[in-house]
Amino acid sequence: MAEKIVLAFSGGLDTTVAVKWLTETRGFDVVALTVDLGSQPNLKAIRERALAAGAVQSYVLDARQPFIERFCWPALKAGALYQGQYPLATALGRPLIAQLLVEVAAREGATWVGHGSTGKGNDQVRFDVAVGALNPQLKVLAPLRDGMAMTREQEIVYAQVHDLPIEVKAESPYSVDENLWGRSIEAGVLEDALLKPPEDAFRWTSSVDTAPAGSAVIELTFEQGIPTSLRRSASPSGGGQGGALALVEELNLLGGLHGVGRIDMIEDRFVGIKSREIYEAPAAVILHTAHRALEDLVLDAEVGRFKSSVAAEYARLVYQGKWFTGHRRDLGAYVQSTQSAVSGTVRIKLHKGSAQVIGRSSPYSLYRPQLATYSAGDQFDHQAAVGFIKLVGLPVRTQAAVQGSAVTEPLLEDDRHVVEVGPGALEVRLAEPVLRAAVPGVVDPNLRG
Ligand code: ARG
């Protein structure tokens, strides 16, 4: 009896050819699994294509809701932005797909799972590591990496020879992955790190130039770190309790209209390569901005500081495919515990590419106007500051007295810098700073004038 493999099937050229190749060349019974995370594939058409390509079974499913609630919300609460920027759309989608591959494999009695990643990126790591974490007995095959080895042209010929139902569209100039949390765009001309991304790379967002001249103001409400409602300030009745999915979809549309959420970065891939990546992630960028603003209001300063290092670690784990690990779960437990007071409302102005926080409120706000004010009603104890500073400065004064001052280069090196320019008027002329080349002799030829 043929061994069964559950293949993550997008319905594109690569995975359509892979269904046939796995059947013909490797002798598998192929079960195709298509997961919708919000790129709105036509699930019915994809199902038909899988079966027509020779799959013995085709599963399709809409996983948008669990994707948002079980993967995106935890990452949002953690403040997880890889290299401080990338909201991790692709990286968050992979473990969900891997989990479904494993669960369908169990249901089907399959001994293998497969996916369409190449041998060069992070996605292969994410799939393989996640599958191993969920069921170490399962074997993983990535045809594009593990033996199928066809160029695009060869795949098209293979599909024609085998009568596979593919639409030969003009080749996309980019490699794109898309879900509700964002759109990842790479390759093609984007590989020139100096080149401004052409407008055709973007699908969700207006450019700053074409975004509306007028701004939109929105109010986002959070309960324990989770966004629960979105309101347009201009229409007090509009918006509201549409659920997680509607909220993210609406923010993607509105943010995209105002050109919010474009990211252009050099990214450190897990496989050791630096690559130039473009993202569109209006909802994720707006939600991270708002969530952070609310945390600034309600989190104790020490928690805020410590949590930002947890955020960086959490983002790295997600990026590197370590979603299903004890370490991620434990960091998640800390994050969850920090969110008990992260409830309230943040007002954001969307305008010409920016999402600017313009107000926030919470019943748990630690911001006390009577302590902060410079006006009448000030309750801050100014005299207490004197003793506070005396103790804060104590170790510094002790060290300076015993070991000498930590200043090594005085600013006023000698009296020649102080020039008398009039009666009682002294002017200080500091020595010219010396400019040193960062790396002597190395000049970027792209930047040569
Ligand atoms: N560089 C991003 C990441 O590793 C996006 C990868 C997108 N995949 C693709 N096939 N374009 O998360």
Side-chain angles (χ1 to χ4, degrees):
M1 215 180 79
E3 278 192 289
K4 256 191 200 173
I5 186 166
V6 183
L7 176 70
F9 182 74
S10 69
L13 177 64
D14 287 338
T15 51
T16 303
V17 168
V19 169
K20 193 68 177 177
W21 182 83
L22 287 166
T23 310
E24 294 281 295
T25 310
R26 299 292 300 260
F28 282 110
D29 278 350
V30 180
V31 175
L33 167 67
T34 304
V35 184
D36 180 14
L37 299 180
S39 51
Q40 288 128 355
N42 183 341
L43 290 178
K44 195 160 160 284
I46 291 179
R47 178 209 311 273
E48 281 157 16
R49 182 169 308 163
L51 295 173
V56 297
Q57 196 90 260
S58 157
Y59 285 77
V60 296
L61 83 131
D62 174 355
R64 293 176 299 166
Q65 192 81 21
F67 176 55
I68 294 296
E69 290 177 351
R70 300 198 210 172
F71 293 81
C72 301
W73 285 173
L76 174 65
K77 288 190 266 190
L81 297 168
Y82 185 64
Q83 291 177 227
Q85 297 189 73
Y86 168 37
L88 295 160
T90 299
L92 287 165
R94 300 316 188 191
L96 186 156
I97 298 171
Q99 184 176 349
L100 285 167
L101 284 172
V102 171
E103 291 177 7
V104 171
R107 211 171 173 274
E108 290 289 329
T111 46
W112 289 80
V113 295
H115 56 81
S117 308
T118 66
K120 209 168 173 180
N122 299 309
D123 288 330
Q124 53 172 343
V125 182
R126 295 170 184 148
F127 279 120
D128 293 12
V129 170
V131 168
L134 296 171
N135 181 353
Q137 314 309 331
L138 276 174
K139 291 168 277 193
V140 190
L141 192 71
L144 274 63
R145 177 190 65 190
D146 306 330
M148 197 169 94
M150 289 185 218
T151 63
R152 180 182 146 84
E153 290 66 34
Q154 289 168 329
E155 285 184 352
I156 292 172
V157 171
Y158 184 93
Q160 285 162 348
V161 169
H162 292 85
D163 209 13
L164 303 182
I166 54 156
E167 320 160 36
V168 184
K169 293 179 285 193
E171 187 179 7
S172 160
Y174 311 106
S175 165
V176 175
D177 180 65
E178 188 175 298
N179 64 42
L180 281 161
W181 207 233
R183 186 165 174 271
S184 309
I185 313 126
E186 55 190 23
V189 295
L190 302 174
E191 287 171 5
D192 180 348
L194 187 61
L195 184 91
K196 179 180 182 291
E199 275 308 306
D200 72 354
F202 301 101
R203 287 271 183 279
W204 292 9
T205 54
S206 313
S207 70
V208 167
D209 298 328
T210 59
S215 61
V217 173
I218 57 171
E219 279 180 10
L220 281 163
T221 300
F222 291 80
E223 282 166 30
Q224 304 202 336
I226 292 176
T228 51
S229 91
L230 161 65
R231 250 167 41 102
R232 299 283 302 266
S233 290
S235 55
S237 56
Q241 311 289 333
L245 197 56
L247 184 142
V248 171
E249 280 172 342
E250 197 178 336
L251 272 181
N252 273 331
L253 288 176
L254 190 61
L257 173 71
H258 288 279
V260 172
R262 287 189 177 188
I263 298 162
D264 176 346
M265 63 188 282
I266 296 295
E267 182 171 297
D268 292 313
R269 283 199 196 162
F270 196 23
V271 293
I273 301 168
K274 276 193 188 290
S275 72
R276 201 275 184 95
E277 303 280 331
I278 304 297
Y279 298 103
E280 298 180 277
V285 165
I286 294 167
L287 287 170
H288 271 288
T289 303
H291 181 262
R292 169 70 203 271
L294 189 55
E295 286 195 334
D296 288 345
L297 190 66
V298 302
L299 292 188
D300 163 69
E302 297 202 323
V303 175
R305 208 160 28 236
F306 186 71
K307 188 170 177 284
S308 67
S309 61
V310 171
E313 178 75 351
Y314 194 103
R316 185 187 62 78
L317 287 177
V318 173
Y319 187 82
Q320 297 184 346
K322 296 168 186 167
W323 180 269
F324 297 112
T325 60
H327 187 29
R328 210 262 327 153
R329 183 200 57 215
D330 295 345
L331 293 183
Y334 167 77
V335 167
Q336 186 55 37
S337 173
T338 63
Q339 299 297 292
S340 57
V342 186
S343 301
T345 297
V346 179
R347 196 171 288 150
I348 302 239
K349 179 171 155 182
L350 308 173
H351 185 230
K352 291 272 185 197
S354 86
Q356 203 190 343
V357 175
I358 56 169
R360 71 291 273 158
S361 75
S362 167
Y364 309 108
S365 173
L366 300 179
Y367 170 71
R368 302 274 94 177
Q370 61 272 38
L371 289 176
T373 186
Y374 285 98
S375 314
D378 182 6
Q379 291 173 5
F380 184 78
D381 182 350
H382 293 236
Q383 278 315 303
V386 176
F388 171 75
I389 293 163
K390 204 167 168 185
L391 293 189
V392 168
L394 177 61
V396 181
R397 291 195 305 275
T398 305
Q399 190 173 20
V402 176
Q403 300 172 353
S405 157
V407 173
T408 50
E409 282 185 76
L411 285 166
L412 295 183
E413 279 173 30
D414 58 52
D415 279 349
R416 282 173 307 170
H417 296 145
V418 181
V419 183
E420 193 160 351
V421 291
L426 300 176
E427 195 173 291
V428 177
R429 294 179 185 160
L430 297 181
E432 285 284 306
V434 186
L435 288 177
R436 296 183 193 91
V439 182
V442 177
V443 179
D444 182 344
N446 292 319
L447 300 177
R448 219 187 300 250

